[in-house]
Short mmCIF file of all heavy atoms in Angstrom, two decimals:
data_model
loop_
_atom_site.label_atom_id
_atom_site.label_comp_id
_atom_site.label_asym_id
_atom_site.label_seq_id
_atom_site.Cartn_x
_atom_site.Cartn_y
_atom_site.Cartn_z
N VAL A 225 11.61 -3.38 -2.05
CA VAL A 225 10.86 -2.39 -1.29
C VAL A 225 11.32 -2.44 0.16
O VAL A 225 11.47 -3.52 0.73
CB VAL A 225 9.33 -2.63 -1.40
CG1 VAL A 225 8.93 -4.00 -0.88
CG2 VAL A 225 8.54 -1.53 -0.71
N PRO A 226 11.59 -1.29 0.77
CA PRO A 226 11.95 -1.28 2.19
C PRO A 226 10.76 -1.74 3.05
O PRO A 226 9.61 -1.41 2.74
CB PRO A 226 12.28 0.19 2.48
CG PRO A 226 12.56 0.79 1.13
CD PRO A 226 11.70 0.05 0.17
N VAL A 227 11.04 -2.46 4.11
CA VAL A 227 9.95 -2.95 4.97
C VAL A 227 9.15 -1.79 5.56
O VAL A 227 7.94 -1.92 5.77
CB VAL A 227 10.45 -3.90 6.07
CG1 VAL A 227 10.97 -5.19 5.49
CG2 VAL A 227 11.47 -3.24 6.97
N GLN A 228 9.80 -0.66 5.80
CA GLN A 228 9.08 0.50 6.34
C GLN A 228 8.01 0.98 5.36
O GLN A 228 6.93 1.40 5.77
CB GLN A 228 10.04 1.65 6.66
CG GLN A 228 11.08 1.33 7.69
CD GLN A 228 12.36 0.72 7.08
OE1 GLN A 228 12.37 0.18 5.98
NE2 GLN A 228 13.44 0.81 7.82
N THR A 229 8.31 0.89 4.08
CA THR A 229 7.35 1.30 3.06
C THR A 229 6.16 0.35 3.04
O THR A 229 5.01 0.76 2.90
CB THR A 229 8.02 1.35 1.67
OG1 THR A 229 9.12 2.28 1.74
CG2 THR A 229 7.05 1.78 0.58
N VAL A 230 6.43 -0.94 3.19
CA VAL A 230 5.34 -1.92 3.25
C VAL A 230 4.45 -1.66 4.46
O VAL A 230 3.22 -1.65 4.36
CB VAL A 230 5.89 -3.37 3.28
CG1 VAL A 230 4.75 -4.38 3.41
CG2 VAL A 230 6.71 -3.67 2.03
N ALA A 231 5.06 -1.40 5.61
CA ALA A 231 4.29 -1.13 6.83
C ALA A 231 3.42 0.11 6.65
O ALA A 231 2.24 0.10 7.02
CB ALA A 231 5.24 -0.96 8.02
N ARG A 232 3.98 1.18 6.09
CA ARG A 232 3.19 2.39 5.86
C ARG A 232 2.05 2.13 4.89
O ARG A 232 0.94 2.63 5.07
CB ARG A 232 4.08 3.53 5.36
CG ARG A 232 4.93 4.14 6.47
CD ARG A 232 5.57 5.45 6.04
NE ARG A 232 6.43 5.33 4.88
CZ ARG A 232 7.74 5.07 4.92
NH1 ARG A 232 8.34 4.94 6.09
NH2 ARG A 232 8.44 4.98 3.81
N ALA A 233 2.30 1.32 3.86
CA ALA A 233 1.25 0.99 2.89
C ALA A 233 0.14 0.18 3.54
O ALA A 233 -1.05 0.38 3.24
CB ALA A 233 1.85 0.23 1.71
N MET A 234 0.50 -0.73 4.45
CA MET A 234 -0.51 -1.53 5.14
C MET A 234 -1.44 -0.64 5.97
O MET A 234 -2.66 -0.82 5.96
CB MET A 234 0.15 -2.60 6.01
CG MET A 234 0.85 -3.68 5.21
SD MET A 234 1.70 -4.91 6.23
CE MET A 234 0.33 -6.05 6.50
N VAL A 235 -0.87 0.33 6.65
CA VAL A 235 -1.68 1.24 7.46
C VAL A 235 -2.50 2.15 6.54
O VAL A 235 -3.70 2.36 6.75
CB VAL A 235 -0.80 2.05 8.42
CG1 VAL A 235 -1.61 3.15 9.10
CG2 VAL A 235 -0.15 1.13 9.45
N ALA A 236 -1.87 2.67 5.51
CA ALA A 236 -2.55 3.61 4.60
C ALA A 236 -3.75 2.95 3.91
O ALA A 236 -4.79 3.61 3.73
CB ALA A 236 -1.57 4.15 3.56
N CYS A 237 -3.65 1.68 3.56
CA CYS A 237 -4.76 1.03 2.85
C CYS A 237 -5.98 0.92 3.75
O CYS A 237 -7.11 0.90 3.27
CB CYS A 237 -4.35 -0.32 2.28
SG CYS A 237 -4.26 -1.67 3.47
N VAL A 238 -5.77 0.88 5.05
CA VAL A 238 -6.89 0.81 5.99
C VAL A 238 -7.56 2.18 6.13
O VAL A 238 -8.77 2.27 6.36
CB VAL A 238 -6.39 0.31 7.36
CG1 VAL A 238 -7.47 0.41 8.42
CG2 VAL A 238 -5.89 -1.12 7.25
N LEU A 239 -6.79 3.24 5.99
CA LEU A 239 -7.29 4.59 6.22
C LEU A 239 -7.98 5.21 5.01
O LEU A 239 -8.52 6.30 5.11
CB LEU A 239 -6.13 5.50 6.66
CG LEU A 239 -5.43 5.07 7.96
CD1 LEU A 239 -4.24 5.95 8.24
CD2 LEU A 239 -6.41 5.07 9.13
N GLN A 240 -7.95 4.52 3.88
CA GLN A 240 -8.61 5.06 2.69
C GLN A 240 -9.72 4.11 2.24
O GLN A 240 -9.70 2.94 2.60
CB GLN A 240 -7.59 5.28 1.57
CG GLN A 240 -6.95 4.03 1.03
CD GLN A 240 -5.90 4.35 -0.01
OE1 GLN A 240 -5.33 5.43 -0.02
NE2 GLN A 240 -5.64 3.41 -0.89
N PRO A 241 -10.66 4.61 1.48
CA PRO A 241 -11.75 3.75 1.00
C PRO A 241 -11.22 2.61 0.14
O PRO A 241 -10.24 2.77 -0.59
CB PRO A 241 -12.62 4.70 0.16
CG PRO A 241 -12.20 6.07 0.52
CD PRO A 241 -10.79 5.99 1.02
N GLY A 242 -11.86 1.49 0.23
CA GLY A 242 -11.45 0.33 -0.54
C GLY A 242 -11.86 0.43 -2.00
O GLY A 242 -12.74 1.20 -2.36
N LYS A 243 -11.21 -0.36 -2.81
CA LYS A 243 -11.51 -0.42 -4.24
C LYS A 243 -12.08 -1.80 -4.57
O LYS A 243 -11.65 -2.46 -5.50
CB LYS A 243 -10.26 -0.15 -5.06
CG LYS A 243 -9.70 1.24 -4.85
CD LYS A 243 -8.41 1.45 -5.60
CE LYS A 243 -7.85 2.82 -5.30
NZ LYS A 243 -6.50 2.99 -5.78
N GLY A 244 -13.01 -2.24 -3.75
CA GLY A 244 -13.61 -3.55 -3.94
C GLY A 244 -13.42 -4.42 -2.72
O GLY A 244 -12.73 -4.05 -1.77
N LYS A 245 -14.04 -5.58 -2.76
CA LYS A 245 -13.98 -6.51 -1.63
C LYS A 245 -12.56 -7.04 -1.44
O LYS A 245 -12.09 -7.20 -0.32
CB LYS A 245 -14.95 -7.66 -1.87
CG LYS A 245 -15.09 -8.59 -0.68
CD LYS A 245 -16.22 -9.59 -0.90
CE LYS A 245 -16.29 -10.58 0.20
NZ LYS A 245 -17.01 -10.15 1.38
N VAL A 246 -11.88 -7.34 -2.54
CA VAL A 246 -10.50 -7.81 -2.49
C VAL A 246 -9.65 -6.88 -3.35
O VAL A 246 -9.97 -6.63 -4.50
CB VAL A 246 -10.36 -9.26 -3.01
CG1 VAL A 246 -8.90 -9.69 -3.03
CG2 VAL A 246 -11.20 -10.21 -2.17
N GLU A 247 -8.58 -6.40 -2.76
CA GLU A 247 -7.65 -5.53 -3.48
C GLU A 247 -6.25 -6.13 -3.36
O GLU A 247 -5.81 -6.45 -2.26
CB GLU A 247 -7.68 -4.13 -2.89
CG GLU A 247 -6.82 -3.14 -3.64
CD GLU A 247 -6.95 -1.71 -3.10
OE1 GLU A 247 -7.52 -1.53 -2.01
OE2 GLU A 247 -6.45 -0.81 -3.77
N VAL A 248 -5.59 -6.29 -4.49
CA VAL A 248 -4.23 -6.82 -4.52
C VAL A 248 -3.30 -5.68 -4.93
O VAL A 248 -3.48 -5.09 -5.99
CB VAL A 248 -4.10 -8.01 -5.50
CG1 VAL A 248 -2.66 -8.50 -5.55
CG2 VAL A 248 -5.05 -9.13 -5.10
N LEU A 249 -2.34 -5.39 -4.06
CA LEU A 249 -1.38 -4.32 -4.32
C LEU A 249 -0.03 -4.92 -4.68
O LEU A 249 0.59 -5.59 -3.86
CB LEU A 249 -1.24 -3.42 -3.10
CG LEU A 249 -2.53 -2.76 -2.59
CD1 LEU A 249 -2.27 -2.02 -1.29
CD2 LEU A 249 -3.10 -1.84 -3.64
N GLU A 250 0.40 -4.67 -5.90
CA GLU A 250 1.72 -5.13 -6.35
C GLU A 250 2.78 -4.13 -5.87
O GLU A 250 2.45 -3.10 -5.29
CB GLU A 250 1.74 -5.29 -7.87
CG GLU A 250 0.73 -6.30 -8.40
CD GLU A 250 1.04 -7.76 -8.07
OE1 GLU A 250 2.17 -8.06 -7.61
OE2 GLU A 250 0.16 -8.62 -8.27
N ASN A 251 4.03 -4.43 -6.14
CA ASN A 251 5.15 -3.68 -5.59
C ASN A 251 5.08 -2.17 -5.88
O ASN A 251 5.30 -1.36 -4.99
CB ASN A 251 6.47 -4.26 -6.09
CG ASN A 251 7.63 -3.93 -5.17
OD1 ASN A 251 7.59 -4.25 -3.99
ND2 ASN A 251 8.64 -3.27 -5.71
N ARG A 252 4.77 -1.79 -7.11
CA ARG A 252 4.70 -0.37 -7.45
C ARG A 252 3.63 0.34 -6.63
O ARG A 252 3.85 1.43 -6.09
CB ARG A 252 4.44 -0.17 -8.94
CG ARG A 252 4.32 1.31 -9.34
CD ARG A 252 4.07 1.47 -10.82
NE ARG A 252 5.20 1.05 -11.61
CZ ARG A 252 6.24 1.83 -11.92
NH1 ARG A 252 6.27 3.07 -11.50
NH2 ARG A 252 7.23 1.38 -12.65
N ALA A 253 2.47 -0.29 -6.50
CA ALA A 253 1.38 0.30 -5.72
C ALA A 253 1.76 0.40 -4.23
O ALA A 253 1.38 1.36 -3.55
CB ALA A 253 0.10 -0.51 -5.89
N ILE A 254 2.50 -0.58 -3.74
CA ILE A 254 2.97 -0.54 -2.36
C ILE A 254 3.88 0.68 -2.16
O ILE A 254 3.75 1.41 -1.17
CB ILE A 254 3.69 -1.85 -1.97
CG1 ILE A 254 2.70 -3.02 -1.96
CG2 ILE A 254 4.38 -1.71 -0.62
CD1 ILE A 254 3.33 -4.38 -1.90
N HIS A 255 4.79 0.89 -3.10
CA HIS A 255 5.67 2.07 -3.02
C HIS A 255 4.85 3.35 -2.99
O HIS A 255 5.11 4.24 -2.18
CB HIS A 255 6.63 2.09 -4.21
CG HIS A 255 7.88 1.32 -4.01
ND1 HIS A 255 8.99 1.85 -3.40
CD2 HIS A 255 8.21 0.04 -4.33
CE1 HIS A 255 9.95 0.93 -3.36
NE2 HIS A 255 9.50 -0.18 -3.91
N GLU A 256 3.87 3.46 -3.89
CA GLU A 256 3.07 4.69 -3.98
C GLU A 256 2.27 4.90 -2.70
O GLU A 256 2.25 6.01 -2.16
CB GLU A 256 2.15 4.61 -5.18
CG GLU A 256 2.90 4.69 -6.51
CD GLU A 256 2.03 4.36 -7.71
OE1 GLU A 256 0.79 4.22 -7.56
OE2 GLU A 256 2.59 4.24 -8.80
N LEU A 257 1.62 3.86 -2.23
CA LEU A 257 0.80 3.97 -1.03
C LEU A 257 1.66 4.19 0.22
O LEU A 257 1.28 4.91 1.14
CB LEU A 257 -0.06 2.72 -0.87
CG LEU A 257 -1.22 2.76 0.10
CD1 LEU A 257 -2.16 3.92 -0.20
CD2 LEU A 257 -1.97 1.45 0.05
N GLY A 258 2.84 3.60 0.23
CA GLY A 258 3.75 3.73 1.36
C GLY A 258 4.37 5.11 1.51
O GLY A 258 4.92 5.43 2.54
N LYS A 259 4.25 5.92 0.48
CA LYS A 259 4.76 7.29 0.55
C LYS A 259 3.72 8.24 1.13
O LYS A 259 4.03 9.34 1.53
CB LYS A 259 5.15 7.79 -0.84
CG LYS A 259 6.37 7.12 -1.40
CD LYS A 259 6.67 7.63 -2.79
CE LYS A 259 7.85 6.89 -3.40
NZ LYS A 259 8.09 7.28 -4.77
N ALA A 260 2.45 7.79 1.12
CA ALA A 260 1.34 8.64 1.56
C ALA A 260 1.44 8.97 3.03
O ALA A 260 2.01 8.28 3.82
CB ALA A 260 0.02 7.96 1.26
#
């Protein structure tokens, strides 16, 4: 995964509602969220 995609995913996860107290995002989910 490109580091830019990880950075975008980190920001995107903060801007959307959570899916529980702890959420673990694996590589595929990072790619999907990093495109948002």
